[in-house]
C-alpha cells in the first residue's frame, strides 16, 4: 500500500446551513466557516468535508442541485468559496466537497429541458418510463419499487404523460448514467472544482447510479406505503463499476486527491471492496452506515419508544466486522455520525448523567482506530438530539413525507419519540458556540430551532478546558496527527480485545509502539485487573487510572 497524505489526516464534516451564520439571516454560510477556521485549526482537524453549497431550491438542503457551478446565495458567493479554500489551505487544512451525481434538482436546466418533450435532446439524461394501469384501469407507476423518502420511486409528469424515476424526493430526479453525454458533463464539472483547488470529494449516494434496467416489479413484500423496499434494484449493481472506472480514468486518477464514497446501508464489506479496494479503479474509501443504524436509529418504530439500551457487544461486532474485513484490502474512514444520523451522544453516550465522560470516551474510541477519522460538527462538544415537542420544529423533507403516513397509524407522542430518536434533524441543529441566544449561531432567527441545552453544552464552556470533550478530542487529534504515536495509530495493526464483554470497548494497536485503548462503555464501574494492563498512560479522560475503570472512562495505554 502506497502511503498518502489523507491517511494521516483528521477529517471534520461541516453542515454549512447550521455551522455559523455570518450575516444573521438565520442560515449558516461560507463566510461563517471562514470565520471559524481558527477554531478548526485549534481543534486540529485538517481535512474539511463540506456538505453541498451549490445553487439549489433546498428541497433536501442542497442535495437537490440546480447549478453545480455556482454557490447558492443562502451560503454566499463563488468568491466566498474560493476564499474559503485558499484560507483553509493557508492553515494546512484541505477542503473536500460533496459531489452529488445520482440526481439533480427538478429545477436544474437539464431536467427543465428533459421534461419538455419525449424527443428533447436532454430527455435521456434522466430515467423516464410509461405508466402502467391496474385492473380498474387506473394509472400506476411503472413498477412497485420504493423510494428512500417514502412512497414510490416514480413521479408522474403530466406534460409528457410519463413517470420519471426519483429514489429520494419528487424534486430530485435520478440521472441516467447510461447516457454518455451526461456522464461527460459530470466529469467536466468535477474537473472544474478540482482545478479550483479542492482536494477531493465525498461522493453522495454513489451506490445507486446503476438501476435494474428491466424495471421489473420486485417480488419482495410490500410495505405500509404499498411499495417494495427492494433497494438492490438500484444499489451496488455491477454496471455501476463500469461508470466508476471511467470516472476514475478520466478524472480522479489525474489528481492527488482523496475520495470517499457513500455506500450506505445494504453494502457489506465485500461490496465495499468493489468501490475502494487498493486494486480497484474507484474511490479511496467508502462510508458504511452499519454502526450508525445499529441501536434502532433507523425506521424501526418498535425500538424507538422505550429507554435506549446500548448493546456494546453488538456494536463491537459490527465495527470489528468492517475493520477486519477491510484491512489489508482497503483503507477505511471512521465516523460516529453525519448529517443523516442522530447524534452519537444521544445514541451511544449518556448525556444526562455522564455527558463529559461519555462524550470524551466516544472521541477516544474513534480517534485511535485505524483508517481516517471524520468528526461531525458539534460532536467534539457532545451535542445531543433535539428536545422538540412540536412536530413542526422538524425541517427535513424525509420527516414531512414520513408524517403523511405515520399520523394514520401512530399516536402523536409515539411519533415524536420516534423522531427525537431517529430524525436526521437531530444532527442538523445550529452549532452551539456559546450560551447566547441560539447558542451564538446567529443573531437572527435560525432556520431550525436550537436544542435547549445550548446554555451548558457549547464551545465556549469547553474550549479552554483540556478535560472537556473538546479538550480530549483535541489531545487525541494531536496525538494521532503529529506525535511519536502517529505511525502506530494510523498504520499499526488492529486487534479487538474482550469482544464479548458487555461493558468494555478495548482494542490493541501495534506498530512502532504497542498501544491499548480501553474504554468502559457503561455507567457502572468496571474491574479490569484480569487484563493485566500495565504501562504508560498516554491519554485518559479522568485524572486517575486504576484496575477499576470509572463510568465511561477511556484510557490509551502504551504497554
Ligand atoms: C445522502 C445524503 O447524505 C443525504 O443527506 C441526502 O438526502 C441523500 N444522499 C440524497 O442525496
Amino acid at each position: 500500500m502506497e502511503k498518502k497524505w489523507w491517511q494521516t489526516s483528521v477529517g471534520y464534516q461541516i453542515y454549512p446551513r447550521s455551522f455559523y451564520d455570518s450575516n444573521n439571516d438565520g442560515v449558516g454560510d461560507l463566510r461563517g466557516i471562514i470565520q471559524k477556521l481558527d477554531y478548526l485549526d485549534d481543534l486540529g482537524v485538517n481535512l474539511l468535508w463540506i456538505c453541498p453549497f451549490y445553487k439549489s431550491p433546498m428541497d433536501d438542503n442542497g442535495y437537490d442541485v440546480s447549478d453545480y457551478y455556482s454557490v447558492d446565495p443562502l451560503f454566499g458567493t463563488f468568491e466566498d468559496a474560493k476564499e474559503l479554500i485558499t484560507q483553509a489551505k493557508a492553515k494546512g487544512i484541505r477542503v473536500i466537497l460533496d459531489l452529488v451525481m445520482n440526481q439533480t434538482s427538478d429545477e436544474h436546466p437539464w431536467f427543465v429541458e428533459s421534461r419538455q418533450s419525449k424527443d428533447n435532446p436532454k430527455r435521456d439524461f434522466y430515467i423516464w418510463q410509461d405508466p402502467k394501469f391496474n385492473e380498474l384501469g387506473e394509472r400506476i407507476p411503472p413498477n412497485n419499487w420504493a423510494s428512500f423518502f417514502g412512497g414510490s420511486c416514480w413521479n408522474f409528469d403530466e406534460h409528457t404523460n410519463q413517470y420519471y424515476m426519483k429514489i429520494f424526493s419528487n424534486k430530485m430526479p435520478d440521472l441516467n448514467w447510461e447516457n454518455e453525454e451526461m456522464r461527460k458533463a459530470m466529469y467536466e464539472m468535477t474537473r472544474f472544482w478540482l482545478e479550483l483547488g479542492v482536494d477531493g470529494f465525498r461522493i453522495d449516494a454513489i451506490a445507486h447510479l446503476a438501476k435494474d434496467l428491466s424495471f421489473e416489479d420486485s417480488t419482495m413484500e410490500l410495505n405500509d406505503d404499498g411499495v417494495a423496499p427492494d433497494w438492490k434494484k438500484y444499489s451496488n449493481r455491477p454496471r455501476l463499476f463500469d461508470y466508476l472506472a471511467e470516472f476514475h480514468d478520466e478524472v480522479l486518477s489525474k489528481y492527488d486527491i482523496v475520495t470517499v464514497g457513500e455506500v450506505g446501508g445494504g453494502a457489506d464489506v465485500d461490496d465495499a471492496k468493489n468501490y475502494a479496494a487498493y486494486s480497484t479503479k474507484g474511490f479511496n474509501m467508502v462510508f458504511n452506515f452499519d454502526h450508525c443504524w445499529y441501536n434502532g436509529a433507523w425506521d424501526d418504530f418498535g425500538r424507538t419508544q422505550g429507554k435506549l439500551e446500548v448493546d456494546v457487544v453488538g456494536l463491537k461486532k459490527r465495527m470489528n466486522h468492517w475493520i477486519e474485513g477491510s484491512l489489508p484490502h482497503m483503507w477505511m474512514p471512521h465516523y460516529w455520525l453525519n448529517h443523516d444520523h442522530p447524534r452519537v451522544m444521544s445514541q451511544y453516550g449518556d448525556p444526562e448523567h455522564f455527558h463529559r465522560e461519555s462524550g470524551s470516551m466516544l472521541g477516544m474510541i474513534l480517534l485511535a482506530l485505524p483508517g481516517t477519522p471524520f468528526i461531525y460538527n458539534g460532536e467534539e462538544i457532545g451535542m445531543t438530539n433535539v428536545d422538540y415537542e412540536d412536530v413542526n420544529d422538524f425541517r427535513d423533507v424525509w420527516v414531512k413525507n414520513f408524517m403523511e403516513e405515520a399520523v394514520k397509524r401512530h399516536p402523536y407522542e409515539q411519533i415524536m419519540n420516534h423522531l427525537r430518536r431517529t430524525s436526521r434533524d437531530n444532527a442538523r441543529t445550529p452549532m452551539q458556540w456559546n450560551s447566547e441566544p441560539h447558542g451564538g449561531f446567529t443573531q437572527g432567527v435560525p432556520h431550525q430551532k436550537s436544542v435547549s441545552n445550548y446554555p451548558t453544552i457549547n464551545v465556549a464552556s469547553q474550549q479552554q478546558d483540556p478535560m472537556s470533550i473538546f479538550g480530549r478530542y483535541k489531545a487525541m487529534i494531536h496525538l494521532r496527527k503529529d506525535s511519536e504515536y502517529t505511525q502506530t495509530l494510523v498504520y499499526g495493526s488492529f486487534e479487538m480485545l474482550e469482544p464479548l464483554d458487555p461493558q468494555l470497548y478495548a482494542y490493541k494497536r501495534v506498530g512502532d509502539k504497542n498501544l491499548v485503548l480501553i474504554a468502559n462503555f457503561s455507567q457502572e464501574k468496571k474491574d479490569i485487573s484480569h487484563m493485566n494492563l500495565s504501562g504508560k498512560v498516554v491519554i485518559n479522560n479522568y485524572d486517575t487510572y486504576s484496575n477499576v475503570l470509572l463510568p465511561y472512562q477511556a484510557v490509551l495505554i502504551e504497554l
Side-chain angles (χ1 to χ4, degrees), residues 349-360:
D350 183 350
E352 210 183 325
H353 308 102
F354 294 102
H355 180 258
R356 187 199 72 79
E357 295 80 357
S358 60
S360 52

Side-chain angles (χ1 to χ4, degrees), residues 60 63 100 103 149 168 172 202 204-205 262 339-340 424 428:
D60 188 22
Y63 284 94
V100 188
Q103 76 273 345
F149 284 5
F168 297 104
M172 299 160 81
R202 174 267 190 184
D204 183 65
E262 183 213 26
H339 63 290
D340 292 332
R424 307 196 299 180
R428 299 176 178 187

Side-chain angles (χ1 to χ4, degrees), residues 20 286 291 339 398 424 453:
Y20 186 60
V286 286
H291 61 289
H339 63 290
W398 180 88
R424 307 196 299 180
N453 56 26

Side-chain angles (χ1 to χ4, degrees), residues 132-143:
K132 277 192 180 163
F133 294 89
N134 63 15
E135 323 68 78
L136 303 171
E138 294 161 342
R139 190 191 67 226
I140 54 168
N143 61 35

Side-chain angles (χ1 to χ4, degrees), residues 310-350:
V310 181
D311 169 12
V312 179
V313 174
L315 176 65
K316 286 189 287 197
K317 199 167 154 201
R318 286 200 173 204
M319 291 179 70
N320 201 33
H321 171 70
W322 272 91
I323 297 172
E324 289 199 337
S326 299
L327 302 173
H329 312 284
M330 64 184 165
W331 196 257
M332 272 192 83
H334 286 288
Y335 71 111
W336 278 124
L337 81 148
N338 62 32
H339 63 290
D340 292 332
H341 302 287
R343 287 277 172 190
V344 66
M345 169 52 74
S346 301
Q347 204 191 351
Y348 290 126
D350 183 350

